[in-house]
Amino acid sequence: RHRPSHPRLRLDGKTSTMPLNDGWFTESEVMWPGQRFSLKVEKVLFQGRSKFQDVLVFQSTNYGRVLCLDGVIQLTERDEAAYQEMIAHIPLCAHPNPTSVLIVGGGDGGVLREVCRHPCISQITMCEIDEKVVEVSKEYFREVTATSFGDPRVELLFEDAAEFVKRRPATYDVVIVDSSDPVGPAETLFTSEFYAALKTSLRPGGIICNQGECQWLHLDLIAKVLGDCGRAFDTVEYAFTTIPTYPSGQIGFLLCSTSSAPDMLREPRRRVPPGVQAQLRYYTPEVHRAAFVLPRFTEQVVAPLRRNRKPL
């Protein structure tokens, strides 16, 4: 969910942002300077470019198939559940009865897979700017994340979500923003204007959950967005999950709601449907609650910006 710093050499010798060298894939990014993460490549399965970004799929030796956009890991088969399940089930289980959901981004289909597990949901809109990501995911991750595009509840749109949400007032109970970092195509998804537009798209008591960057790397950005959200929403919270192949092994979630009910967001209002919990690899009600318990250095920044709940 990130963007590259500079071009590299493609396997065919052409300029690219995909860092493949000596049988290893290595990330290098302006948003986490001074550190790199690498995976050993067993076989390159797909390499191409959409209208927006480079797309790479490879078989790794230890993490299964890997999807990269502009040279940065989006998912691996081994650890994707830690992100997909948490960004979906925290807001869906914090809402007492979600029936209409908007997914922004998420072209790999993982968030959609998790949303479709909830039978109470009758309408799912997915707004993804890059059609190529969906196409490639259907081909190479059809048994992993891209399992639910054929669900009859799904309306799949390829357009800029920042413009789309302005046309859907008071429509959604939950909005999940599975976005890249705030550069390139996702830049408009981290602005106060976008959050204001998202708020108008919510029904009363609605919830937004946005990919919330890494507390080890982006605490200033997290604080800025929490501050922006605090001026618009009755409840604002921050949670996180651990995932080995994301920068510093961790990624957070920015959560907002128009409800000011006590412990809104932090406490599950309902459990995942019967039979679904056994299919999940990461999310549980206990992990839901624990995700909001922050290390002290993060809590000191987040506490003054949190709404609904008194600082610790």
Side-chain angles (χ1 to χ4, degrees):
R1 278 120 180 113
H2 316 281
R3 290 295 178 267
S5 56
H6 53 271
R8 299 295 184 91
L9 195 66
R10 278 177 39 164
L11 296 182
D12 58 11
K14 297 178 181 179
T15 299
S16 173
T17 55
M18 296 183 185
L20 289 164
N21 294 295
D22 300 322
W24 286 81
F25 168 88
T26 301
E27 288 185 323
S28 180
E29 227 298 341
V30 292
M31 288 194 70
W32 51 89
Q35 66 184 65
R36 292 184 176 187
F37 182 81
S38 299
L39 289 175
K40 191 167 181 58
V41 179
E42 187 174 282
K43 182 182 180 181
V44 174
L45 302 174
F46 176 85
Q47 189 172 17
R49 181 165 181 82
S50 73
K51 292 185 293 184
F52 302 97
Q53 55 204 339
D54 285 331
V55 183
L56 171 69
V57 179
F58 66 89
Q59 181 71 36
S60 68
T61 58
N62 296 81
Y63 279 81
R65 289 190 175 184
V66 181
L67 172 67
C68 306
L69 299 180
D70 273 349
V72 179
I73 293 170
Q74 307 301 298
L75 71 87
T76 79
E77 286 185 276
R78 181 174 175 179
D79 65 4
E80 54 86 15
Y83 175 81
Q84 319 279 15
E85 291 181 15
M86 292 292 277
I87 197 173
H89 297 305
I90 288 178
L92 290 173
C93 291
H95 195 288
N97 185 34
T99 61
S100 180
V101 175
L102 169 64
I103 302 169
V104 175
D108 56 63
V111 173
L112 179 63
R113 176 194 66 197
E114 299 305 321
V115 173
C116 287
R117 296 188 195 275
H118 293 256
C120 61
I121 297 169
S122 57
Q123 176 189 3
I124 305 168
T125 304
M126 180 171 168
C127 188
E128 162 64 54
I129 198 169
D130 196 339
E131 188 170 358
K132 187 70 171 179
V133 176
V134 174
E135 175 189 322
V136 170
S137 297
K138 286 180 176 180
E139 175 67 22
Y140 295 98
F141 296 91
R142 58 183 175 272
E143 296 180 359
V144 183
T145 56
T147 60
S148 300
F149 285 106
D151 192 299
R153 296 171 292 176
V154 177
E155 174 190 24
L156 179 59
L157 305 172
F158 296 105
E159 58 179 293
D160 184 353
E163 294 301 318
F164 166 78
V165 293
K166 297 175 184 177
R167 307 196 302 270
R168 296 283 180 99
T171 302
Y172 301 106
D173 296 308
V174 174
V175 176
I176 301 169
V177 185
D178 180 14
S179 69
S180 302
D181 285 328
V183 288
E187 188 171 6
T188 58
L189 305 186
F190 280 77
T191 65
S192 56
E193 291 79 11
F194 180 61
Y195 278 95
L198 284 182
K199 183 179 181 181
T200 65
S201 75
L202 291 176
R203 293 172 175 170
I207 297 172
I208 295 169
C209 183
N210 192 354
Q211 181 272 104
E213 299 299 339
C214 176
Q215 58 191 294
W216 291 102
L217 301 170
H218 309 124
L219 209 46
D220 289 345
L221 174 61
I222 291 166
K224 178 188 179 300
V225 180
L226 285 173
D228 289 343
C229 293
R231 289 186 284 274
F233 292 89
D234 294 325
T235 298
V236 177
E237 286 281 4
Y238 188 79
F240 73 98
T241 188
T242 60
I243 177 166
T245 57
Y246 280 5
S248 297
Q250 178 275 326
I251 196 165
F253 308 109
L254 297 156
L255 292 118
C256 311
S257 178
T258 57
S259 170
S260 58
D263 278 330
M264 184 66 187
L265 303 175
R266 300 175 69 97
E267 186 67 27
R269 293 301 197 264
R270 61 189 189 91
R271 290 185 172 269
V272 292
V276 171
Q277 184 66 68
Q279 302 171 30
L280 304 183
R281 296 168 55 205
Y282 196 96
Y283 177 90
T284 66
E286 293 77 18
V287 170
H288 180 130
R289 297 182 185 97
F292 293 88
V293 180
L294 307 178
R296 184 169 180 268
F297 77 94
T298 306
E299 179 66 23
Q300 288 176 315
V301 174
V302 170
L305 302 168
R306 185 184 287 124
R307 298 194 66 180
N308 179 260
R309 182 176 180 272
K310 293 181 180 179
L312 296 175

